[in-house]
Amino acid sequence: SCASACETGGELAGTAGTVVFFGQSVLAGCADGTVHQINRRGRTIRRINAHNHMVTSIAVSPDSRYILTTSSDGSARIFDLQG
């Protein structure tokens, strides 16, 4: 899975559709439709069930409260990270 590849220090290629920096962590959009927030130690600290298909992009709002994700199925979703 996307998270296990990150947690073991493995390559993200083939498992992550997109990766963006998010403060002291990264957000990884995965082939299984999930988004993982991964800390500096490579541990998943948040998992979002975002889509049914691969996450192809992630955008973070200027205040870091919201993320917009898109999927290979053409859908887009907004998530409130504080709610």
Side-chain angles (χ1 to χ4, degrees):
S1 77
C2 182
S4 64
C6 296
E7 290 173 3
T8 60
E11 293 296 321
L12 286 172
T15 59
T18 187
V19 177
V20 297
F21 289 99
F22 184 70
Q24 297 296 314
S25 61
V26 296
L27 295 171
C30 302
D32 66 358
T34 60
V35 174
H36 294 261
Q37 183 178 359
I38 302 163
N39 67 15
R40 290 176 147 197
R41 294 189 172 138
R43 300 282 179 214
T44 296
I45 55 177
R46 181 188 319 227
R47 180 178 186 264
I48 300 169
N49 294 317
H51 299 274
N52 292 324
H53 297 277
M54 180 168 62
V55 176
T56 55
S57 66
I58 301 170
V60 180
S61 66
D63 63 1
S64 297
R65 179 172 180 168
Y66 301 96
I67 62 169
L68 169 71
T69 62
T70 61
S71 173
S72 61
D73 68 3
S75 65
R77 295 192 176 149
I78 297 173
F79 297 92
D80 182 346
L81 297 180
Q82 295 177 2

